């Protein structure tokens, strides 16, 4: 590891710890840990529940932390500025980790199905002739991609979502554009979708947008539109969002 890499790693860790401190991550971990520790004891006191195994006493704290973090930072987006309420809410999440984690997994599945359906519908709507439909489809595609990063989807569904998004981009690029103004508008829509996809983590979708822009740069007549398409394709290929 060279000096620059070491400095970058140190700065990256520093940024993480700074963000963790601002989000009161330590309080959430402690609360989830305590809740997870208590969960087997609570289960043992319930006469209708089976007594937890010895393994549950070391597994439960970890699951309690996971449940607290998922609930507070992903599902509920809880305000963590107040340490005491955050601590006890985390403890409650840790105590209820079986239900919390089961619900979280179910929510991911439902969310994935919804996103797949929405992207497929956008791709279908983008087939319609006319710039109005193109603009609406591009706007909807940007919204869905920005609100649903790959990490929130089931891994096996990401390929399906990216394939549908690629089809939507292809349909947008094929919008009839007889005038230079319409050509530029189609190009701008593709650039915007690519930028949002890249910033949200949908890298293959961003590259698909870059490919469509490159194709348009080779076919459009207007010099300004051609330059915009070339620049957009280059920026997306290089990982830029401008």
């Amino acid at each position: 590891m060279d000096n620059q890499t070491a400095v970058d790693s140190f700065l990256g860790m520093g940024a993480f710890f700074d963000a963790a401190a601002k989000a009161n991550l330590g309080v959430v971990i402690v609360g989830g840990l305590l809740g997870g520790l208590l969960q087997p004891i609570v289960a043992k006191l319930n006469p209708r529940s089976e007594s937890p195994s010895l393994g549950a006493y070391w597994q439960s704290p970890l699951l309690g932390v996971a449940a607290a973090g998922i609930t507070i930072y992903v599902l509920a987006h809880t305000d963590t500025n107040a340490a005491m309420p955050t601590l006890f809410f985390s403890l409650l999440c840790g105590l209820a980790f079986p239900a919390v984690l089961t619900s979280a997994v179910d929510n991911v599945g439902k969310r994935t199905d919804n996103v797949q359906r929405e992207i497929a519908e956008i791709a279908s709507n983008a087939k319609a002739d006319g710039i109005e439909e193109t603009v609406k489809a591009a706007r909807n595609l940007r919204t869905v991609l920005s609100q649903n990063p790959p990490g929130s989807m089931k891994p096996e569904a990401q390929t399906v979502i990216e394939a549908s998004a690629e089809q939507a981009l292809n349909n947008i690029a094929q919008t009839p554009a007889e005038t230079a103004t319409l050509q530029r508008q189609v190009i701008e829509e593709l650039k915007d979708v690519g930028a949002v996809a890249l910033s949200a983590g949908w890298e293959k979708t961003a590259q698909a947008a870059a490919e469509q822009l490159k194709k348009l740069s080779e076919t459009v007549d207007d010099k300004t539109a051609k330059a915009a398409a070339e620049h957009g394709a280059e920026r997306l290929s290089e990982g830029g969002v401008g």
Side-chain angles (χ1 to χ4, degrees):
M1 180 183 294
D2 57 31
N3 291 337
Q4 185 59 48
T5 303
V7 170
D8 291 342
S9 298
F10 177 77
L11 292 175
M13 291 298 294
F16 169 79
F17 286 121
D18 183 56
K22 291 179 180 177
N24 255 336
L25 180 60
V27 175
V28 174
I29 290 175
V30 170
L33 193 69
L34 290 174
L37 281 169
L38 293 173
Q39 199 280 334
I41 299 173
V42 173
K44 194 172 184 179
L45 293 174
N46 187 348
R48 292 176 296 177
S49 301
E50 295 183 7
S51 296
S53 63
L54 291 176
Y57 287 91
W58 66 264
Q59 295 171 345
S60 293
L62 298 177
L63 294 172
V65 171
I70 290 171
T71 301
I72 289 174
Y73 296 119
V74 179
L75 300 180
H77 299 287
T78 306
D79 181 3
T80 57
N81 289 324
M84 200 59 66
T86 300
L87 175 65
F88 283 96
F89 184 37
S90 301
L91 191 150
L92 181 62
C93 294
L95 276 171
F97 79 77
V100 169
L101 295 180
T102 299
S103 175
V105 171
D106 289 343
N107 285 338
V108 169
K110 292 176 183 177
R111 184 176 183 179
T112 300
D113 292 341
N114 289 337
V115 172
Q116 286 179 301
R117 185 165 52 252
E118 288 176 2
I119 297 286
E121 184 176 346
I122 290 170
S124 177
N125 291 340
K127 291 180 181 179
D129 292 341
I131 193 65
E132 293 82 6
E133 291 84 357
T134 291
V135 171
K136 184 178 180 180
R139 181 178 65 245
N140 292 340
L141 184 56
R142 291 195 299 270
T143 299
V144 174
L145 292 176
S146 64
Q147 293 179 351
N148 300 279
S152 66
M153 301 289 102
K154 287 184 176 180
E156 61 270 20
Q158 291 179 19
T159 302
V160 177
I161 292 170
E162 287 172 328
S164 295
E166 184 175 347
Q167 184 59 54
L169 289 167
N170 181 64
N171 292 341
I172 290 170
Q174 292 183 12
T175 301
E178 292 81 7
T179 67
T181 300
L182 291 179
Q183 290 174 352
R184 294 171 196 167
Q185 191 165 1
V186 170
I187 288 167
E188 288 303 315
E189 296 298 340
L190 288 171
K191 287 170 62 178
D192 290 345
V193 171
V196 168
L198 192 61
S199 63
W202 293 102
E203 295 182 1
K204 289 184 179 179
T205 301
Q207 290 306 307
E211 291 171 7
Q212 293 297 337
L213 286 167
K214 188 174 185 302
K215 291 178 182 177
L216 286 176
S217 72
E218 298 169 351
T219 58
V220 297
D221 298 323
D222 181 69
K223 292 182 179 180
T224 302
K226 182 184 291 289
E230 290 176 348
H231 178 68
E234 289 174 2
R235 293 287 293 170
L236 290 174
S237 297
E238 293 168 0
V241 295

